Every structure is written in structure tokens, then in C-alpha cells.
Amino acid sequence: MGGHDTSKNNTDFISWNLAEWASKLTYEDLSPEAIQSAKLYLYDSFGCALGGSNQHDVSMFLDHARQMGGADTCTVFGSGFRTDPVTAAMLNALCIRAMDYNDIYWKADPAHPSDIIPAALSICEMNGLSGKDLILGTCIGHEIEMRLAEFGDPGVREYGWHHATITCIASPIVAGRMLGLSADQIQQAIGISASPSMCLGAVTAGKLTNMKNTVDPMATRCGVEAAMLAARGYSGPEHVIDGKEGLVHCFEKFGGKFNLEMLTDNLPKCSGCHWKILDCGMKSFPIEALSHAPLTAMMKIVKAHDLDPDQIDEIKVEVIARAADILGDPAKYRPTSKETADHSLPYSLAVGLVDGMVTPLQFKQERIDDPGLIPVMDKIKVVPNEEFEKLFPEYQPSQVTITLQDGTSHTERVDVPKGDPRDPMTEEEIAVKFNALGTDVVGEDSCLQLRDVIMGMENEASLDRLFDLMTAGVTA
């Protein structure tokens, strides 16, 4: 694979621009709007972490980590397990991600930027940093991850790769800044992290496994370890993004294009700048992001006409092609695991229709295994709509038509799901979600106190109170 100049200086590669930008940022550079948004994402993400801490995949990985051992340096949410910062970042990211309920940003590629928060979290706890540092790390992670989700044309998802491919670039930047590394060290960390961590899309194709929610946390883990290695002088390929046999070069061989300027143009450097975190979205349902609009459309029809499942002959769901491909393939009509069920339009709509809601309860194994849902799923037809392609990703258009046994039909279209920045979740709505996920783990009183701590994070001199409350009443 020739055609690339291998004599360039390290400052000629885009990893330098990203590293230099992050290395110079301070809390005072953040806008008031970015700070408030970061706190809301911390609130939402930590609620997801409490709920996720009870998931089976987290339990298995926690058992593995206990057996492996590790320095008594950092804390894992929920369990209170103490371990090294690399493992803690992995486990806390898995807690956030396990229920597929955390934030979403989908442009050329999808991304869940809050998966990266534990990269900042571990370093902050290890080094006794403040709530302001955690807010800064959160804003950096969202900024870079969201830009990486934009710069592909098309995104890496269209070539069969997973968005953990971009997380492994963003996470070392966050960890490196929290460690106070120089621009050169952060650049090395990017190379260390990205070179072994590019991820195949098989984890979200067909029948899904525990790895669906694990690859992004692993990319976050790799970023933390990479930054800690770079602090010791370890080196990585500076050209891992835009040099010879780097990400861009490899995808160009198959027709891929990347708008590199989108990674660096107007990177925010002041309190008057626009920060990307303001453009991210949250999830009001614990399901794959492109399922939200069709589920909302169906529920609106059912509520407006007081429909019973037995009245319905067919539910036609029109979505963009990639949604039909990801969420409506044959494996999604017979899900056998939570991972497949929450990425299944037939299951999400069928269980929403029968139960009248879609919450974490609908993804308990006994609910997934209920044979009574099969005939309802078979009523659902998922089809791509070419006209919708023109509107994505600015909108997430979905149209649902419910045809009744008597031939009557009702249609509803939704372009912007709840949680989108154009229809954002309020602090009160996040509180409802947080309490529903966290009360059984740490108790109602701790949930109420956590709201005050998280929404006043800039006043926390350390993260001690946060971890005490996120593990309240739990012993490792």
C-alpha cells in the first residue's frame, strides 16, 4: 500500500492537532451551556450505570476482574469493587453501556460518547482530581467522538465496521488530558490505542452477543491504558488516522472518503465557542437508536385509537435502509437474548404493543422468551423507504401504518424522537429515568443526593462523594 509520504514530522498528522488542542484546554474554556449539558449527560449516564450494574454481562466481567486482581486504586459503580484505573474504566463503561440506554449521536456513524466518560472518571479518582476536571473530560470526549462520527463519507459502519473504531481514538485523548500529558504524549497515546482496537461490525450483525455492548468499553479501556503507557514514554504510530496504512488510507482502498477538516475546523477553545456536546441526544427507551422514532409513532397510534393487539392485522414500519438492515433482519424476529432483542424492531414494537411500555423490564430474559410475542412480531413488516434516505442523518424519519382486521388503517410519522436536542429530555425527565434505574441499587435517598452532587459537580473538590453514593450500601 504505497502512495503516502513516510518522511513527515509528527506535527504533520491530524493526531497532533487533536492532541495539541486537548492538551491546552481548561475548565475555564468551557461555555456555561457546555458545562450544564455535561452535567446532564453525567446524570443520565450514571443512572444508566446503576441500572447496568445489575446486568448479567457486567456480573460476568466483574467476576473475571476479581479473579484477575488489580491495584486498589479506583471504584466500580454499583458493586463498589476496587481495582486499577484501566479495569475500572472498562467496568464503569460497561455499566453505562450494558442496557443500551445511554446517549446517542448518529451522523455518518453512530456513537455513544458517554462510553468515554469513565476514561476521565478513572484518572480523576486515581489522581484526586475535581468535579470540574470530570466535566472538562466529558466535554472533550463528546467533542472528539462526535466529530469522528461525522467525518466519514460514508461512515465506517457502511463498510462493516463498528463505531468502537472511533472510540479508540477519542478515549486516549480524554485520558491523556486528565493525566496532564503533553501534546506529544497524547499523540503517542492515540497511536497506542487505535492501532490494535479497530472493530468489526459483526458485533451488531445478525444474532447479537455480549460483545455488542462490550467493544466500546474495551475501546475506552484501551484509551486509558494507552495514555498511562504514553506517560512512561511508550510510543505509537502518529500516522494512525491519516498516514500510511492508517484508518483513512485503508478505507480509501475500498472507496471510502474522509473529511479530515471536520475533525479540526472550529475546535472550541473558549467559553464563547460552540461545543458539540450541545448537539448530542439521549435515549428515552433502552433500545437501539433508530428504533425510537418507529416505536414512538406506533405508540401514538395505539394511544390515539385505543387499539388492542388482537384488532391488528399488520404493522408496516418504514425506515431508512440501514435501520431495516440492522433492526429487521430474520434473527431479529426470533430474539433469544437481550442484546438481540434491544436491537430488534419486531420485538421492541411487539412488546411495546402488548405491555404498553418499553422499559428495562421488557428485556428480562423471561419476557424475551415468551412465545406469546411471536405472533405479534410476525405482524410487523420492516421495509426501507428510499425517500427517507435524503433526510437522514438530519432527521430520523419513520412512518408506521397499522392495518386492522376490519381493513381500517392508521398512519403516523415521526422525524425527531424524544431525547433529540430538538426535543431534549429535561432534568426532571432524566431524574425519573435515573431513579427508576438506581433506586433498587443504591436506594431512593442516595438517588436524591446523587442528583444534587452530579448537577453541582463543578463544586466537588474530589469525586469521593460521587463514588460513595454510587456504591451506597454495597460492599465489594
Side-chain angles (χ1 to χ4, degrees), residues 321-349:
R322 71 192 72 184
D325 176 58
I326 297 169
L327 307 169
D329 66 80
K332 304 309 189 299
Y333 279 84
R334 297 295 184 268
T336 58
S337 67
K338 174 196 168 296
E339 289 79 10
T340 303
D342 67 27
H343 269 50
S344 163
L345 262 177
Y347 180 83
S348 298
L349 269 63

Side-chain angles (χ1 to χ4, degrees), residues 216-428:
D216 259 315
M218 284 183 164
T220 295
R221 174 181 68 179
C222 197
V224 174
E225 186 165 40
M228 296 179 73
L229 285 169
R232 295 178 178 274
Y234 221 85
S235 62
E238 299 148 350
H239 57 284
V240 73
I241 300 174
D242 57 338
K244 184 175 182 180
E245 298 186 19
L247 173 67
V248 171
H249 188 196
C250 289
F251 277 92
E252 282 177 342
K253 293 292 182 179
F254 301 96
K257 298 178 182 178
F258 292 86
N259 301 306
L260 288 167
E261 67 278 1
M262 295 180 74
L263 296 182
T264 55
D265 281 357
N266 300 312
L267 275 169
K269 300 175 182 178
C270 66
S271 61
C273 296
H274 178 78
W275 290 79
K276 281 281 186 187
I277 196 168
L278 299 174
D279 303 330
C280 199
M282 294 183 184
K283 287 188 174 185
S284 53
F285 302 113
I287 56 179
E288 202 278 342
L290 296 180
S291 298
H292 285 233
L295 176 59
T296 301
M298 185 201 73
M299 298 294 263
K300 284 184 175 182
I301 296 173
V302 171
K303 182 179 180 180
H305 301 280
D306 193 24
L307 298 181
D308 183 272
D310 291 337
Q311 297 175 266
I312 296 172
D313 180 61
E314 180 184 88
I315 301 176
K316 180 182 178 183
V317 184
E318 298 176 67
V319 290
I320 60 171
R322 71 192 72 184
D325 176 58
I326 297 169
L327 307 169
D329 66 80
K332 304 309 189 299
Y333 279 84
R334 297 295 184 268
T336 58
S337 67
K338 174 196 168 296
E339 289 79 10
T340 303
D342 67 27
H343 269 50
S344 163
L345 262 177
Y347 180 83
S348 298
L349 269 63
V351 78
L353 177 62
V354 173
D355 292 359
M357 59 182 176
V358 177
T359 74
L361 293 175
Q362 276 63 52
F363 296 95
K364 298 284 188 181
Q365 193 62 46
E366 58 267 25
R367 193 70 187 104
I368 296 169
D369 291 340
D370 183 358
L373 291 173
I374 292 176
V376 186
M377 285 191 280
D378 287 343
K379 294 180 180 183
I380 297 165
K381 312 300 179 188
V382 182
V383 296
N385 183 315
E386 291 185 9
E387 291 299 313
F388 288 172
E389 299 294 332
K390 303 171 185 176
L391 302 174
F392 187 82
E394 183 177 357
Y395 296 98
Q396 295 181 21
S398 176
Q399 184 166 288
V400 172
T401 300
I402 297 181
T403 302
L404 306 183
Q405 298 285 356
D406 64 8
T408 305
S409 64
H410 305 284
T411 299
E412 183 74 33
R413 175 170 163 173
V414 172
D415 287 346
V416 176
K418 181 66 179 178
D420 183 280
R422 289 161 291 189
D423 187 13
M425 291 181 68
T426 65
E427 183 179 333
E428 286 301 323

